């Protein structure tokens, strides 16, 4: 039977990468949290890790932090596809942090597809400094308000250069997401009018 650890080792061999001193089971930290913050490992290693996670039969991953891992839109696509393979993980995942990776609009469109999954129950989405655009916000706004409006409590779109062109989508999120407690849109290009 394939386990997360075996899947990790197999993917390391398949991709001809050096093993990392990473453990999928940890002794410290929150239960159900996989924190890869600032590892800077890029698309291939994060893909390997997400494939490993998809084999977990416990299905309880509450928080995934891929912040500062030199991910691109392709890396995000692979991660989200791998996570979608395990319905239990999609249902249990509450916090997704992709901040400080250059995922851009394409990466946001892959996230949009993930959010549209009927099993998605994300409460926090952190996309600070990811190169998402006004069009990204407009796209994500629709899936957030249609699919996870009764779950989402934290959204971070800070430091992306978004502007007045997406303010109606931001207003829609504020109007329709009744449990939203935090919306971070700092360090963007909004005018006083918006």
């Amino acid at each position: 039977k394939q386990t997360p650890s075996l899947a990790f080792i197999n993917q390391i061999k398949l991709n001809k990468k050096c093993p990392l001193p990473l453990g999928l089971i940890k002794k410290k930290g929150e239960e159900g949290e996989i924190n890869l913050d600032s590892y800077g490992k890029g698309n291939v290693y994060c893909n390997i890790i997400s494939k490993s996670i998809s084999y977990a039969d416990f299905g309880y991953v509450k928080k995934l932090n891929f912040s500062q891992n030199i991910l691109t839109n392709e890396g995000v696509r692979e991660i989200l596809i791998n996570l979608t393979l395990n319905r239990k993980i999609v249902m249990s995942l509450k916090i997704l942090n992709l901040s400080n990776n250059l995922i851009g609009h394409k990466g946001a469109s892959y996230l949009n597809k993930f959010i549209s999954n009927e099993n998605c129950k994300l409460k926090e989405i952190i996309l600070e400094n990811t190169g998402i655009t006004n069009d990204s916000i407009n796209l994500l706004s629709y899936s957030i308000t249609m699919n996870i409006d009764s779950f989402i409590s934290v959204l971070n779109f800070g430091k992306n250069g978004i502007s007045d062109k997406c303010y109606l989508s931001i207003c829609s999120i504020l109007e329709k997401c009744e449990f939203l407690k935090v919306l971070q849109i700092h360090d963007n290009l909004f005018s006083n009018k918006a």
Side-chain angles (χ1 to χ4, degrees):
K1 181 180 177 184
Q2 188 80 298
T3 66
S5 296
L6 276 175
F8 181 77
I9 292 166
N10 289 337
Q11 287 298 314
I12 290 289
K13 288 178 184 176
L14 183 69
N15 288 282
K16 297 179 181 160
K17 294 290 181 182
C18 293
L20 292 173
L22 292 175
L24 294 180
I25 300 171
K26 58 185 184 165
K27 306 270 187 226
K28 295 181 180 179
E30 287 183 45
E31 184 76 26
E33 176 183 354
I34 296 174
N35 187 353
L36 300 172
D37 184 18
S38 302
Y39 275 63
K41 291 302 173 189
N43 292 341
V44 176
Y45 274 111
C46 290
N47 181 25
I48 290 168
I49 292 165
S50 66
K51 276 186 181 172
S52 304
I53 295 167
S54 74
Y55 285 101
D57 58 2
F58 52 85
Y60 184 75
V61 177
K62 180 180 164 187
K63 179 179 181 180
L64 278 176
N65 185 350
F66 284 104
S67 179
Q68 296 186 36
N69 270 287
I70 319 169
L71 290 175
T72 65
N73 58 40
E74 286 305 310
V76 169
R77 181 178 72 82
E78 292 299 318
I79 288 167
L80 296 175
I81 286 171
N82 291 329
L83 295 177
T84 305
L85 297 174
N86 188 328
R87 187 174 74 80
K88 289 180 183 176
I89 289 176
V90 175
M91 292 175 68
S92 68
L93 186 61
K94 304 299 179 218
I95 301 168
L96 180 60
N97 185 347
L98 297 171
S99 64
N100 299 303
N101 291 295
L102 191 56
I103 69 169
H105 182 66
K106 273 191 174 180
S109 67
Y110 300 133
L111 178 59
N112 180 65
K113 191 172 183 178
F114 183 80
I115 292 170
S116 298
N117 184 312
E118 66 183 29
N119 296 308
C120 182
K121 310 233 183 309
L122 282 172
K123 290 184 175 185
E124 296 183 25
I125 302 172
I126 303 160
L127 297 173
E128 183 170 325
N129 194 30
T130 54
I132 58 174
T133 65
N134 292 317
D135 290 337
S136 306
I137 300 297
N138 294 333
L139 180 68
L140 289 169
S141 166
Y142 181 78
S143 60
I144 288 169
T145 58
M146 296 304 292
N147 299 300
I148 58 173
D149 58 314
S150 58
F151 304 108
I152 196 74
S153 62
V154 175
L155 283 171
N156 184 340
F157 298 139
K159 297 183 180 180
N160 280 299
I162 55 176
S163 68
D164 295 1
K165 293 179 181 176
C166 68
Y167 88 94
L168 288 175
S169 294
I170 300 271
C171 290
S172 177
I173 290 170
L174 288 168
E175 179 184 331
K176 295 178 181 174
C177 299
E178 60 183 289
F179 297 105
L180 186 66
K181 295 177 185 168
V182 177
L183 175 63
Q184 294 184 345
I185 54 172
H186 58 88
D187 296 322
N188 280 300
L189 304 174
F190 291 108
S191 69
N192 291 336
K193 176 185 164 191

